[in-house]
Amino acid sequence: MPYSRVSSTTALIDEGNLTQLEFLALDSTFNFADGHARQELTASQEKIIGDLPELFAQAASQPVAELERTAFANYCRLLGQHSFPLDAGRVFTCYSSSVAMEIVARSLATRTDSIALIHPTFDNIPDILRGVGLRLVPLPEDELHRRDLDPRLLDDVESVFVTTPNNPTGRVLTADRLRRLAGQCAQRGTVLILDTSFRGFDSRAFFDHYAVLEASGCRWIVIEDTGKLWPTLDLKVGWLVTSADTGLPVADIYSDILLGVSPFVLALIGRFVEDAASGGLGELHRFIAGNRRLLRSALDGLPRISFPDQESRGSVERIDLGERSSSRLVLEELCERSVFVLPCRQFCWANPAEGDNAVRVALARPTESLATGAGVMREVLARQC
Amino acid sequence: MPYSRVSSTTALIDEGNLTQLEFLALDSTFNFADGHARQELTASQEKIIGDLPELFAQAASQPVAELERTAFANYCRLLGQHSFPLDAGRVFTCYSSSVAMEIVARSLATRTDSIALIHPTFDNIPDILRGVGLRLVPLPEDELHRRDLDPRLLDDVESVFVTTPNNPTGRVLTADRLRRLAGQCAQRGTVLILDTSFRGFDSRAFFDHYAVLEASGCRWIVIEDTGKLWPTLDLKVGWLVTSADTGLPVADIYSDILLGVSPFVLALIGRFVEDAASGGLGELHRFIAGNRRLLRSALDGLPRISFPDQESRGSVERIDLGERSSSRLVLEELCERSVFVLPCRQFCWANPAEGDNAVRVALARPTESLATGAGVMREVLARQC
């Protein structure tokens, strides 16, 4: 039941944050707003849900530390992350990636006052970082992928935050770029933070990030997230993983906020990971690719409409409405017809105008519902563009 | 797998926070450290766990807003809170009471810089409040219960934080005291914050707090918590509930951290509330009272050992070890025998020495395990006291 200070839809589209727009859509028939996994369960996932009472009993009897290690290690291996740490005090299981983010931000704020942040990215990241008092310096995505960071930028900040694959663009930091970036951070003592919440959708992000980070010698933090992949009704965890010595009070701040997550959720995640390893992950990738094709063809041939993220494999897709189009008009009209997507304005946290002509559509939805929603989008866009 | 900077048990007992001590105990046979609900499921609760697959399906099909309202409204009514608000933007469902606490603290820190906080209380409350930069002023529990707050104290702070029933003492703020306190806050524009996480154990805290708060006209926040009552393997929610206008950016900060909790957890809580309303709550009260009697009689007759919270009905019990006793020695020896309880030092956040001679034992545990643990405590205390 949470609403922000702005109450009308129009005001929210202009001034609200993305999560507040996502609230509006929560119980709507055509919610393509949030990036949570809302597709139907596959047959083998249905089977896991049928076993929930046994999973509860198992979770009650097994040591939590064991459930935690198994879920984390198998999740990492599933996504090609073989050099993950298991040492004491380096893996913190959180209720969600945003809780992990809050803990990272609060830890950073005790020791540093500035951070370079990828631009664009989901707005709760800059909002949390600003909320704890950090000064943000934009790190344009194009720059990040093109060349080494400008030394002047690095001299200006004490940490660097990169979302990879990025949200909403889907762009993946290559192993080579990560190596160079981590090297630059190591040289200067800068803390490198990666949010890899959307990694599971894109095998190009399956190279062993932990090996690259460890080899660089930099201080690093990685946020992993199980919440985007499987339709577990938001039973999920976020993992906050750190280099051996970050110089930050992560363990203390973590323990101010939680003792740990539910062992039941850990056991459930463990089962979904197993299922993904036995073919479920490939099935998920084909499903998202299918929904992406469906959306693109449903809007095919509309004047000025384009899909800027041609290479993206993430579970969200940006639609560029073309110059002179207003995403607000589109969103309002879609909203009246119970179809919810997100404006891109808020992703462009340092320069909202850059996002004015684009919207983001969530793809992790039942295909039929996306097909109907895409039909409505076509009608609306045909008039507005 | 989270550990703090201090690694030995001795160092943790002296310097760690309570949650870090609770980590140590997590997978121990005799974990009487944390205040989470770890008793066995009752027969009717077992039945609910048997229905988890159906609950999952129900949660997937029902609107989240409806699940949220039902769970919250029925939880409030169960505990005598009939004047709870349901208006938009006044109830925020969180992953836990500590996440609610973090959101409250971050909201307070945007507008205020000082807070009066009950003393003693669980140390993550002062740690979170300090962590966001607030200056804390101790509000001694005895003072709070004895008379109106000293106007000089109220003039010195912008908000007042009270845990009721308190942890670890179990003391309950009476309706009359709450009325006076809320009146004083209303007069000065002070924000009054109540943490009622342990309310469910004590019918003396079942008077309608929301009616008293609303009638006072003060700005208020209440944190409710389902996490202490039922052995749901930490599937739980914390509710952050506010007066119509707090003047604080609670909705914005909430939406930086979460979109909402799992509808599955809401549906599960809904069922546990129903079960509690049909006799389960009485059963729980008798269970805790029984475990309290067991602990007290197990230690009966030991020289200098006493139970300072004679009136407490909460799920934790303090043991006073008597003057000149060191809780550290007791904790170390218990720890060697795999029995974990908490020192009281850390609860006394403004003056740790006050807590040096006491430990806290969690009672929401299987009776057999508590009986065995109490036997070990008796042996150790007989030597150490």
Side-chain angles (χ1 to χ4, degrees), chain A residues 236-252:
Chain A
K236 62 186 174 186
V237 301
W239 277 296
L240 196 175
V241 192
T242 75
S243 57
D245 184 11
T246 57
L248 299 171
V250 173
D252 289 343

Side-chain angles (χ1 to χ4, degrees), chain A residues 1-3 5 17 19-20 23 27 63-65 68 89 92 98 102 106 124 233 251-252 255-257 259 262, chain B residues 1-3 5 17 19-20 23 27 63-65 68 89 92 98 102 106 124 233 251-252 255-257 259 262:
Chain A
M1 292 163 270
Y3 294 79
R5 63 196 181 290
N17 67 37
T19 307
Q20 288 163 343
F23 289 137
D27 287 321
V64 178
E68 216 167 12
F92 302 87
S98 296
E102 172 77 9
R106 284 254 267 104
N124 85 324
L233 295 182
D252 289 343
S255 64
D256 285 346
I257 298 182
L259 172 60
S262 168
Chain B
M1 292 163 272
Y3 294 78
R5 65 199 180 290
N17 67 36
T19 307
Q20 288 163 344
F23 289 136
D27 287 321
V64 179
E68 216 166 13
F92 302 87
S98 296
E102 171 77 9
R106 284 255 266 104
N124 84 325
L233 295 182
D252 290 343
S255 64
D256 286 346
I257 298 180
L259 173 59
S262 167

Side-chain angles (χ1 to χ4, degrees), chain B residues 24-74:
Chain B
L24 280 188
L26 262 188
D27 287 321
S28 153
T29 328
F30 301 113
N31 165 13
F32 308 113
D34 65 66
H36 297 222
R38 301 186 186 279
Q39 67 272 30
E40 277 159 13
L41 292 160
T42 64
S44 54
Q45 289 170 346
E46 286 273 13
K47 172 88 185 49
I48 301 173
I49 300 306
D51 291 344
L52 289 186
E54 295 71 33
L55 261 182
F56 190 96
Q58 181 209 322
S61 65
Q62 218 174 321
V64 179
E66 202 175 296
L67 281 163
E68 216 166 13
R69 264 164 203 268
T70 310
F72 175 64
N74 292 344

Side-chain angles (χ1 to χ4, degrees), chain A residues 80-113:
Chain A
Q81 307 305 305
H82 298 283
S83 306
F84 59 86
L86 271 177
D87 321 49
R90 293 186 56 186
V91 183
F92 302 87
T93 311
C94 305
Y95 300 123
S96 68
S97 59
S98 296
V99 169
M101 183 65 217
E102 172 77 9
I103 293 167
V104 169
R106 284 254 267 104
S107 303
L108 286 170
T110 61
R111 303 278 190 275
T112 68
D113 58 19

Side-chain angles (χ1 to χ4, degrees), chain B residues 11 18 99 103 112 184 188 198 263 277 297:
Chain B
L18 293 169
V99 169
I103 294 167
T112 67
Q184 286 190 292
R188 281 176 167 78
F198 281 86
S297 31

Side-chain angles (χ1 to χ4, degrees), chain B residues 14 31 45 72-73 94 118 123 154 188 198 201-202 273 276 286 291 320 322 354 366:
Chain B
D14 289 343
N31 165 13
Q45 289 170 346
F72 175 64
C94 304
I118 191 166
D123 68 351
L154 274 175
R188 281 176 167 78
F198 281 86
F201 294 105
D202 197 328
V273 169
R286 288 188 296 277
N291 276 0
D320 191 306
E354 272 183 45

